[in-house]
Amino acid sequence: MPAPSVHSAARDAASNPVLRMLARGGYAANGIVHVLIGAITLAIAVGARAEGDQMGALKAVAGAPLGFVLVWLIAIALCALGVWHAVAGVIVPRFTHDVEGAARKWGRRISEWGQAAIFIALGLIAAAVALGARPSSEEAVTAASRGVLQLPGGSIVLGLTGLGVGIGGVSFIVMGVARSFRNRMDIPDDTAGSAITTLGVVGFVAKGISLAIVGVLLIVAAVQGDAAVAGALDGAIDALLELVLGPLLAGVVGVGFIAYGVFTVFRAKYATL
């Protein structure tokens, strides 16, 4: 299919009211999942045993009466949000007609496609949970890390993956502190808008810290050549608990995830699509 036809089809899809509605639902679904992650993390901080990550949150929902129905709705909404980001990546305009403009365009495009991959993957995981699967994020990350380490140059690949995740975590922190997330939203300039912004700042920083810890765990696993050191979000919470004032720090991160979740629910309304 010629490029202009692809671009035109992407524009039509991006302006489709059904896709837009489902994409907003994807933000709300993502928010609900993060609120649950935060609540589970708080429980872990006071001594409970649970999975403090997306998988644990989805399993908790699926375990409720008729919970599989809600998990299916979450799966559909997350996949729709992923599709919208994929489409948005196609129709990114050129900022200026020079090398800098082209670089910014491709930077935005890669960002949109990266988010598309993440949301579609989360949607597919939710669908698997709705169908009865009960996977473990920690076991999956450990198994994947072990497989990578067995490859030629695998430790370098795993280390670079950890570096990428860590950079992603730092970018979340920067977005929270700089409040740059407001650039993609139409937040009102009133008391409610200020409260939403505060939730965003706290939430982005908390999620960034967690991702940064996951990145460090992957880098340490690469350096030591020990896949058992690698971990997902649940592993990051366990790492926090081993620090001085660990339960308090884990509790703060849990509150941050709840803040991020509530913010993301509001994002469903105020996101610029």
Side-chain angles (χ1 to χ4, degrees), residues 8 25 44 75 103 122 178 182 229 235 257:
S8 176
I44 294 173
L122 290 175
R182 290 178 58 94
V229 178
F257 269 106

Side-chain angles (χ1 to χ4, degrees), residues 26-188:
Y27 280 124
N30 193 37
I32 291 171
V33 170
H34 277 84
V35 168
L36 290 173
I37 292 173
I40 293 171
T41 301
L42 287 176
I44 294 173
V46 297
R49 295 182 61 84
E51 292 181 63
D53 54 17
Q54 287 90 345
M55 207 74 73
L58 290 170
K59 291 178 185 178
V61 174
L66 296 178
F68 74 96
V69 176
L70 180 55
V71 176
W72 269 119
L73 293 175
I74 290 174
I76 293 170
L78 288 173
C79 285
L81 181 55
V83 170
W84 189 89
H85 277 292
V87 169
V90 175
I91 60 176
V92 171
R94 182 186 290 271
F95 294 92
T96 56
H97 294 282
D98 54 16
V99 175
E100 180 181 354
R104 290 181 62 190
K105 175 181 178 178
W106 277 98
R108 172 74 71 81
R109 180 167 280 175
I110 292 171
S111 173
E112 293 287 358
W113 288 341
Q115 292 181 75
I118 291 171
F119 284 121
I120 290 175
L122 290 175
L124 293 176
I125 290 171
V129 172
L131 289 171
R134 295 294 181 267
S136 168
S137 296
E138 291 302 303
E139 293 177 0
V141 170
T142 300
S145 299
R146 184 176 296 112
V148 171
L149 287 173
Q150 291 175 349
L151 298 173
S155 59
I156 297 176
V157 173
L158 186 61
L160 290 175
T161 301
L163 180 62
V165 173
I167 291 174
V170 173
S171 69
F172 263 84
I173 295 173
V174 172
M175 287 174 65
V177 174
R179 304 184 180 189
S180 58
F181 55 82
R182 290 178 58 94
N183 297 336
R184 306 295 299 276
M185 299 175 65
D186 188 19
I187 300 177

Side-chain angles (χ1 to χ4, degrees), residues 156-228:
I156 297 176
V157 173
L158 186 61
L160 290 175
T161 301
L163 180 62
V165 173
I167 291 174
V170 173
S171 69
F172 263 84
I173 295 173
V174 172
M175 287 174 65
V177 174
R179 304 184 180 189
S180 58
F181 55 82
R182 290 178 58 94
N183 297 336
R184 306 295 299 276
M185 299 175 65
D186 188 19
I187 300 177
D189 294 322
D190 54 18
T191 303
S194 297
I196 293 171
T197 298
T198 300
L199 287 170
V201 172
V202 174
F204 269 86
V205 171
K207 183 165 184 177
I209 290 172
S210 298
L211 288 174
I213 294 174
V214 171
V216 170
L217 292 176
L218 290 173
I219 292 172
V220 172
V223 172
Q224 296 183 354
D226 184 2

